[in-house]
Each structure stands twice: as C-alpha cells, then as structure tokens.
Amino acid sequence: MLIYALLLVPLNLLSQNDPEAVKILDRFSAAALAASSVSMKFDIVTTDQMEGTSDTIPGSIILSKDKYRLELVDNIIWHNGETSWNYMPAEKEVTITKPDKNDESFQNKPSSIFSIYKNGYKNRLVEERSDLYIIDLYPEDIKSDLIRIRLAVSKSSLNLRTLEYKNKDGLTITLIVHNYDLKQKPDPSLFTFSPSKYKGIEIIDMR
C-alpha cells in the first residue's frame, strides 16, 4: 500500500527539497504559466479506502492565469478572477460567489497546481520512467489533512498526466488527464457566465 511505502521513506529525504524534482517542477510551471491558457480533458477518480468505493466522473477545464471554466457532469463553473458562477442544470439555478483571493486550494484556484510546490511543501522525485517523472509533494504542516500530492509529468512535453491528492481519512482524489493543450487563446468572455444563454433559471447571488 502507498501509505506504508510512504512510511518507509527516510525522514531526512522528507525534510528537504529534491534538487532534481525542483528543476522538473520549475520547467513544468514555466511552460504552463507562459502559455495563454491551459486546457485539459480528464477523469476525476475518487477512491474511499474506508468504504471500499470508487467513483469516476469526466470533466474539462480551461485556465488562463486565475480565470477558468470548469465543466463537470452536474455543474459548470466560471471564474473571471473576481467572481464565480456555479451553474447546476438539474436544479436550473446558478449561484454567484466572490471567492477568497487568499484561498490557494485547487477547488478555488485550479492554477495553483503549477506553483503549489513553491510554498508549504517538500518535494521528491520518487520515480523516473522512460516517459514520465513521478514527483511527490509532502505538506510541511504536520496537521494537514493531506498525506501527499503526487504529480506525473511527461518527460518529453512537460504535460501533466496525473494529479493525485491522498488524504489521511482514506480518501484519494486522482485527476487523470487525457488531453493537455497549451495552444488555445480563449476570449475573456469564456470565463464569465452569460445569463442570456441560460433562460428561465434561478440566480442566487451570495456575494
């Protein structure tokens, strides 16, 4: 099991950053942040070890700096850098919020995956395959609910292949990327909800 494998890692390796991992992450980050946008098609796999369950949902996202449009099975989220709109087709409603700019979580700021390694985490290159780098990030805060974040990055293109959050409660959330594109140049309007396109819905403004 991965938890037991983690416990076997020497403590001195977890107390410092791996220079090779930092070099790879710097290149991965620079490529993504220099692009006009990052778009991904993916599956999110949620595994609950305590319950013995696993669930998979498809999705897609396009990010441009702190702006994004995230589409999942049950909802679509637009975020223009200031305001978020969460549209739920089944309920025919959209909820408007103003997220905390200091919240660097993936849920609030997906672009944080490109820079999260720079603060609050130690890193280690755990495996180098013929086509992939496998890098683990360990939270410095021992009270964190996270055991680790694991990234798999393509060696040739520096594209993100998988992103895994492993929690102490037995829950593991894995983003499996099927398409990763840095070439799109989205119009700014893509990141703002347009009421004219969604007639007859309830608008809940919680700003």
Side-chain angles (χ1 to χ4, degrees):
M1 298 293 288
L2 288 171
I3 292 178
Y4 300 115
L6 179 63
L7 292 175
L8 294 175
V9 176
L11 291 178
N12 64 322
L13 291 180
L14 296 181
S15 64
Q16 57 191 339
N17 282 321
D18 180 342
E20 286 303 311
V22 173
K23 288 179 183 178
I24 296 163
L25 291 169
D26 282 345
R27 291 166 55 212
F28 165 67
S29 175
L33 296 178
S36 297
S37 70
V38 179
S39 62
M40 292 181 274
K41 292 182 180 179
F42 55 79
D43 285 329
I44 297 176
V45 181
T46 303
T47 304
D48 190 329
Q49 291 183 337
M50 300 296 290
E51 298 292 334
T53 60
S54 182
D55 182 58
T56 301
I57 60 171
S60 64
I61 190 169
I62 181 165
L63 308 98
S64 181
K65 303 299 184 278
D66 291 340
K67 302 175 183 178
Y68 66 89
R69 181 184 187 276
L70 171 65
E71 185 166 353
L72 300 172
V73 173
D74 296 325
N75 63 315
I76 304 172
I77 299 175
W78 295 261
H79 181 66
N80 66 1
E82 295 287 338
T83 304
S84 287
W85 295 263
N86 187 350
Y87 171 55
M88 305 184 73
E91 284 73 20
K92 294 185 177 180
E93 66 180 35
V94 61
T95 301
I96 307 173
T97 57
K98 199 174 184 68
D100 181 0
K101 288 187 176 182
N102 294 320
D103 183 354
E104 296 285 327
S105 67
F106 177 77
Q107 293 84 352
N108 185 61
K109 188 179 180 182
S111 62
S112 65
I113 63 174
F114 305 120
S115 57
I116 191 172
Y117 71 96
K118 295 181 179 180
N119 293 293
Y121 291 87
K122 298 300 182 182
N123 55 63
R124 179 169 173 256
L125 176 61
V126 295
E127 186 178 355
E128 182 175 347
R129 301 177 186 173
S130 61
D131 60 338
L132 283 179
Y133 297 113
I134 310 295
I135 297 174
D136 282 355
L137 307 180
Y138 308 103
E140 294 178 341
D141 182 2
I142 60 174
K143 295 181 180 179
S144 172
D145 293 332
L146 272 173
I147 294 175
R148 61 155 171 75
I149 300 173
R150 172 166 290 179
L151 298 91
V153 178
S154 168
K155 294 180 74 171
S156 59
S157 63
L158 295 175
N159 290 353
L160 181 66
R161 300 281 288 276
T162 63
L163 175 68
E164 180 186 273
Y165 288 80
K166 191 171 189 64
N167 297 287
K168 293 176 180 176
D169 62 2
L171 198 67
T172 300
I173 300 172
T174 306
L175 188 79
I176 302 173
V177 181
H178 302 296
N179 181 273
Y180 187 91
D181 184 4
L182 302 180
K183 298 178 180 178
Q184 294 190 39
K185 296 183 178 180
D187 187 279
S189 63
L190 180 68
F191 306 107
T192 300
F193 175 75
S194 178
S196 63
K197 295 180 181 178
Y198 299 88
K199 301 291 186 179
I201 65 170
E202 180 182 1
I203 297 177
I204 303 171
D205 195 335
M206 299 183 67
R207 288 175 290 184

